Amino acid sequence: MKKKRKHEKRKHVKLKNVRQKPQQPEVKKPEENQKMSEVVCQKRQCEEVRAGFFSRIDYCGHGYRRRLMERGFKLAEAEQTHFNVLVGGLVHNAGLKERIEEEIAKEKGKPKDERASREEVKNRVLGEVAAELAEQIPVVKATGTEKKIRLYVMTSLAYDGAYGAEIAEKLALLRPDVRHWAKWSEHLPLKPPPNEKFKEIACLVPTKQTFRSKYDSTAVDRAVEDYLNLANKPYAPVVVVGCYDVSFYKPAGGESSLHIIALPGLSRTEENRASENQIGITVLRLTKDGNLFVRCHNLNYLVVHERESINISPKYSASAQQILEQFKYHSWRTVGLLNENLRVTRDELKKNLDKIVKQTRLHPPLRYDSSSHRYYISRQWIQQNLTYPYPWPNQSFIDERFISFGCLHALCCHTAHEFMLNDLHQFMLEYKVRHLVGAGDFIEGSKHGHKELIFGADYVAQERFAAWLTATPMLKAFKTRFVETLSGADQKLFTNETAVLDFVKAAYSDFWYIPGNHDEWTEAVSVAALTTFRYELLMLLRTGITNILRNAGCVIPMLLEEFIENNTVKMVPLDAAMHPAGVTVSLNHLHMARAQTKTLRSQALLGATSADVNIHANFHTALAMARFDPEMGQRVIQQIGTLKLRSGFEDRKGKRVDFGVGYLRLGLQQRGDKKSILMHEFAFFGDPSKYSSLDNEAFIEDFKKGMEEIVAKKETKKLEKK
């Protein structure tokens, strides 16, 4: 060793004595330096950031499912996420403690001199669990490369327990793609950020047990309040909360200064500690134009029907296979229940069951519990071997997209009318939206007084103006699509009414709507809500589309008017109607005030309707969430904000509003006679800083000046004639 050190020292000295010519720095002109910096900036520009989020795999718990976890990670890989985060629930606290106690009990049966201490057993189990997780957690790779996508792991004291952090540390040492985050609130910087609004994401896990709650937002709000109360650093614009197994999105705006996203779990729900309901993964897409898309792949249906994927070995006899088929639909069976279902004698069943129990090497292995006289498939086999067949990405979803607006309040001085005229159709075209929804309160009305009404307009003028605001973006979007449709069509078809109507159908967006409480104020004088609105809207759409067809040289189909009317649907509260998208839809406008519990109104509506998709407004606040029902399947609900920037009514109550429209994308799969929601994506569009309220007095003064100019021009023309 000494000789080696001398050699190294000598070599080092020799290198020191070598004289090297100093390199002359290349002098660049200022223009070249500027060009170089611009290139670097362009390379660092980020079109969007895609981040995958998981929670509650609950290893060691009864709900852990290895193949379910693998399915979730494969979905993240297919979504091409840039990084992934496991936000709490790496291990199941009670299950881990149970495993440690079992190992300690085994040690007690050994001789004293061979017996390991409690601490040694605990450390051994924690090491084994970390090694098992390192093997079972999939490695996500960038598309078409061997580059490993980083996985950040957080643990929760309330759900992972005291040993969770230690296991995560050991896991990070075993897996180079894993990073352990030790705090309950961690900030993940986005470098480079896609937009100045999105510089980092905060991830939160609960530190203490929560009380059982009826509403999904209750426990999540407590975690966010704890984060806000810390006040020890600037808040992140996006906050992701794990461990509660719910799925909702509260956008930043007037009511909340932060985007709040609650995550579903990635294990079977075996206990209800808060309001657990959702199983799946969440992918956030943060874009360069400042929009946030929250996409969720729902796996509840697969977990509910997980036993149907049990693969019975062909080496079993025909009678044994017939018996094991029953365990695809039941977690346990007795001889009596099997006798009723299979119509086989009890003696023959008992003989076959005992034979199956002895065939431990075949799958699935069957076990017998002598205390309850039940036969069952072992939980360990279920956890490791069940599969979860999800169609995407191998098979495309049936893709349906909605944009919904509510509380338009036409001719109110605080309404951003320009949004409807200039922006809405652009969102419809950019995101390929074919379904437009109006969730009530199209007019301002006069029950709250005339102070905020432009010119103090009456109900007829308000409804006509609201119809024009609604028809304009529909016609603009239609015209663009219609021109694109005709560009590749045979001109001989332009005179064929059936073909032209098909062109119209390909370019048209249907419109479903419901009156709001402001719209229904006309019923006090025996005028049905939105009567003038509907008449005016149909007339504007018919006239506008007819003109577009004529200008394109197309014949006007006889059935055009009927088609437009059939696709302009007025809904009734709480009704669930089959939508052209292939799912049932319910539109509502509740006559009540907002609540402090964010999801209270939305969850109440889910309990009152039977629709797959629920859209409602009136509270001037925005929210989106999902709930799963074993019979109805996955259901989504979106609460739409308003197109008013503010209102005197809310200002006096100390309330702020969420401005904009709601975007909903559904990934559907045909199952029997209905379509089921497997994927849903929420977003909210609208920047209130681009608009401003009108001052009625200033507006009247401008109108006066305009009138003076008109009068002056008339006088000039009279003088010229003389």
Side-chain angles (χ1 to χ4, degrees):
M1 289 295 290
K2 287 182 180 178
K3 288 182 180 179
K4 190 175 181 182
R5 283 176 186 168
K6 283 181 181 178
H7 174 70
E8 287 175 356
K9 190 174 181 182
R10 204 178 297 121
K11 188 177 179 181
H12 183 62
V13 172
K14 188 177 179 182
L15 287 171
K16 267 188 174 180
N17 293 333
V18 175
R19 295 184 65 186
Q20 295 180 352
K21 292 182 180 180
Q23 290 184 351
Q24 295 293 329
E26 185 180 351
V27 179
K28 294 181 181 178
K29 296 178 182 178
E31 292 179 3
E32 290 180 358
N33 285 330
Q34 189 176 354
K35 286 179 182 178
M36 285 292 291
S37 64
E38 285 176 2
V39 170
V40 171
C41 288
Q42 285 174 5
K43 285 182 179 179
R44 286 185 59 79
Q45 277 180 354
C46 184
E47 290 293 320
E48 66 177 29
V49 169
R50 291 186 301 279
F53 291 89
F54 319 103
S55 185
R56 297 281 301 276
I57 63 172
D58 280 357
Y59 191 72
C60 296
H62 290 187
Y64 173 72
R65 298 290 186 271
R66 179 178 182 175
R67 306 302 176 191
L68 180 68
M69 177 181 65
E70 288 178 358
R71 174 59 62 190
F73 277 73
K74 284 180 181 177
L75 287 172
E77 188 172 70
E79 288 283 4
Q80 300 179 16
T81 54
H82 298 122
F83 61 89
N84 299 307
V85 188
L86 176 63
V87 191
L90 175 67
V91 293
H92 188 273
N93 183 26
L96 178 62
K97 286 181 177 179
E98 185 181 333
R99 178 167 168 176
I100 292 172
E101 291 301 323
E102 285 175 359
E103 292 299 317
I104 290 171
K106 289 178 184 177
E107 290 295 321
K108 289 179 179 178
K110 296 180 181 179
K112 280 190 176 182
D113 56 339
E114 297 177 12
R115 197 181 299 169
S117 68
R118 189 180 186 89
E119 187 67 18
E120 288 173 336
V121 173
K122 183 203 77 173
N123 290 334
R124 186 182 74 227
V125 171
L126 297 186
E128 289 172 356
V129 169
E132 290 162 10
L133 283 168
E135 179 202 350
Q136 295 188 31
I137 293 177
V139 176
V140 177
K141 295 181 180 179
T143 306
T145 70
E146 290 300 310
K147 179 187 175 184
K148 295 177 182 178
I149 300 299
R150 190 162 291 173
L151 172 65
Y152 299 93
V153 176
M154 297 175 67
T155 56
S156 162
L157 192 61
Y159 286 83
D160 296 84
Y163 303 132
E166 192 174 340
I167 291 172
E169 287 176 12
K170 294 177 184 292
L171 173 63
L173 294 174
L174 294 170
R175 283 274 296 268
D177 60 314
V178 174
R179 299 289 185 273
H180 172 227
W181 282 352
K183 296 179 182 177
W184 73 272
S185 66
E186 292 279 3
H187 280 219
L188 175 66
L190 303 180
K191 295 183 178 179
N195 183 282
E196 285 301 309
K197 289 163 59 176
F198 301 131
K199 291 186 177 180
E200 57 185 357
I201 298 174
C203 298
L204 313 180
V205 293
T207 57
K208 48 187 177 288
Q209 297 291 346
T210 185
F211 292 108
R212 173 76 184 87
S213 174
K214 183 177 180 180
Y215 300 107
D216 291 5
S217 61
T218 303
V220 175
D221 282 345
R222 289 194 187 115
V224 175
E225 284 169 12
D226 289 344
Y227 168 70
L228 295 175
N229 288 336
L230 284 177
N232 57 7
K233 65 174 76 172
Y235 304 127
V238 180
V239 176
V240 177
V241 184
C243 291
Y244 294 121
D245 292 10
V246 295
S247 178
F248 80 84
Y249 167 40
K250 173 64 185 174
E255 191 180 38
S256 171
S257 59
L258 312 174
H259 295 275
I260 302 170
I261 297 102
L263 301 179
L266 196 52
S267 58
R268 184 184 178 92
T269 304
E270 294 288 341
E271 55 185 345
N272 213 296
R273 297 166 66 175
S275 57
E276 290 85 351
N277 176 266
Q278 290 287 289
I279 302 170
I281 74 160
T282 299
V283 176
L284 300 189
R285 193 157 58 90
L286 303 96
T287 65
K288 65 177 182 179
D289 53 4
N291 288 322
L292 172 60
F293 294 82
V294 181
R295 177 178 296 188
C296 298
H297 289 274
N298 180 258
L299 303 176
N300 280 77
Y301 182 88
L302 300 182
V303 173
V304 168
H305 298 273
E306 64 180 0
R307 300 184 72 88
E308 294 175 14
S309 70
I310 292 174
N311 187 19
I312 299 171
S313 172
K315 292 183 179 180
Y316 278 118
S317 65
S319 57
Q321 290 184 38
Q322 187 183 16
I323 291 170
L324 288 169
E325 279 289 332
Q326 294 295 310
F327 291 88
K328 285 188 175 184
Y329 309 100
H330 307 283
S331 56
W332 58 267
R333 293 280 86 181
T334 61
V335 173
L337 290 171
L338 289 170
N339 173 250
E340 286 182 14
N341 293 333
L342 300 176
R343 303 297 179 185
V344 180
T345 63
R346 286 173 175 262
D347 291 339
E348 190 176 345
L349 276 172
K350 189 74 173 69
K351 183 180 177 181
N352 283 327
L353 285 166
D354 291 342
K355 189 176 179 181
I356 295 170
V357 169
K358 290 177 182 177
Q359 294 175 296
T360 54
R361 292 188 177 183
L362 299 183
H363 59 82
L366 201 64
R367 290 187 179 179
Y368 176 65
D369 179 35
S370 57
S371 62
S372 63
H373 294 263
R374 291 178 176 180
Y375 292 88
Y376 63 96
I377 298 171
S378 71
R379 188 181 74 244
Q380 290 78 11
W381 190 90
I382 292 285
Q383 288 179 326
Q384 295 291 330
N385 293 282
L386 292 188
T387 58
Y388 299 86
Y390 193 80
W392 190 84
N394 296 328
Q395 179 185 339
S396 298
F397 289 127
I398 301 168
D399 194 351
E400 299 291 349
R401 309 182 191 198
F402 298 74
I403 277 185
S404 306
F405 66 90
C407 303
L408 171 60
H409 296 289
L411 285 178
C412 172
C413 64
H414 296 303
T415 294
H417 300 98
E418 307 99 302
F419 179 88
M420 293 292 288
L421 300 176
N422 301 328
D423 296 345
L424 183 55
H425 74 281
Q426 294 181 17
F427 289 122
M428 293 173 69
L429 292 170
E430 183 177 356
Y431 299 108
K432 301 177 182 177
V433 173
R434 307 308 300 271
H435 311 298
L436 185 64
V437 172
D441 278 0
F442 289 85
I443 64 172
E444 173 66 4
S446 57
K447 199 170 182 179
H448 291 322
H450 292 77
K451 187 177 180 181
E452 295 180 4
L453 265 174
I454 298 173
F455 283 145
D458 63 17
Y459 283 105
V460 173
Q462 290 179 53
E463 289 194 20
R464 291 185 68 186
F465 194 74
W468 176 67
L469 289 176
T470 305
T472 300
M474 292 179 69
L475 289 171
K476 285 183 176 180
F478 173 81
K479 184 177 181 180
T480 302
R481 289 181 182 141
F482 190 73
V483 170
E484 291 174 356
T485 304
L486 291 187
S487 62
D490 186 353
Q491 291 191 1
K492 293 178 182 178
L493 298 174
F494 290 9
T495 56
N496 185 315
E497 286 193 23
T498 304
V500 171
L501 188 60
D502 288 339
F503 294 153
V504 171
K505 290 177 181 178
Y508 191 74
S509 298
D510 53 64
F511 178 60
W512 285 38
Y513 69 100
I514 190 169
N517 55 310
H518 284 235
D519 306 318
E520 291 173 351
W521 289 342
T522 61
E523 295 181 355
V525 289
S526 301
V527 178
L530 298 180
T531 301
T532 303
F533 168 83
R534 182 176 180 86
Y535 172 81
E536 191 76 13
L537 177 63
L538 292 173
M539 186 270 291
L540 289 169
L541 291 173
R542 183 177 64 250
T543 305
I545 292 174
T546 300
N547 290 336
I548 292 169
L549 295 182
R550 281 180 181 151
N551 292 336
C554 293
V555 67
I556 310 301
M558 292 286 290
L559 298 176
L560 178 63
E561 186 172 351
E562 182 183 342
F563 168 77
I564 294 171
E565 189 156 355
N566 289 341
N567 284 276
T568 306
V569 180
K570 182 180 179 181
M571 290 289 288
V572 176
L574 300 185
D575 270 14
M578 182 56 70
H579 193 272
V583 290
T584 53
V585 171
S586 179
L587 307 184
N588 290 281
H589 194 97
L590 299 179
H591 294 202
M592 55 178 65
R594 67 176 78 169
Q596 286 293 320
T597 303
K598 292 182 176 63
T599 61
L600 189 150
R601 300 300 185 210
S602 293
Q603 285 186 245
L605 263 179
L606 284 175
T609 74
S610 59
D612 302 315
V613 176
N614 296 266
I615 297 169
H616 69 112
N618 190 32
F619 311 114
H620 293 191
T621 58
L623 179 94
M625 65 175 296
R627 294 281 293 176
F628 182 80
D629 184 279
E631 293 183 2
M632 290 185 277
Q634 181 77 334
R635 305 171 69 203
V636 297
I637 185 164
Q638 196 168 30
Q639 182 174 305
I640 310 301
T642 178
L643 290 174
K644 290 176 75 169
L645 301 169
R646 61 188 301 177
S647 73
F649 179 80
E650 280 153 322
D651 287 350
R652 287 187 288 273
K653 293 181 180 293
K655 296 178 179 179
R656 301 186 67 185
V657 303
D658 288 337
F659 175 86
V661 297
Y663 167 79
L664 169 63
R665 182 180 180 183
L666 299 177
L668 307 174
Q669 184 189 34
Q670 191 74 42
R671 284 183 178 147
D673 58 348
K674 69 166 289 186
K675 292 176 183 175
S676 298
I677 300 171
L678 295 187
M679 183 278 292
H680 62 269
E681 183 176 69
F682 295 123
F684 292 90
F685 304 137
D687 181 2
S689 64
K690 292 170 59 178
Y691 313 100
S692 59
S693 298
L694 290 172
D695 184 338
N696 244 339
E697 293 181 6
F699 187 75
I700 291 170
E701 289 301 318
D702 290 340
F703 180 73
K704 284 179 183 177
K705 291 176 183 177
M707 287 299 296
E708 287 171 359
E709 289 177 7
I710 292 169
V711 171
K713 285 180 182 179
K714 285 183 178 179
E715 291 296 327
T716 304
K717 285 182 180 179
K718 285 180 182 179
L719 290 171
E720 286 175 355
K721 285 181 180 180
K722 288 180 180 180

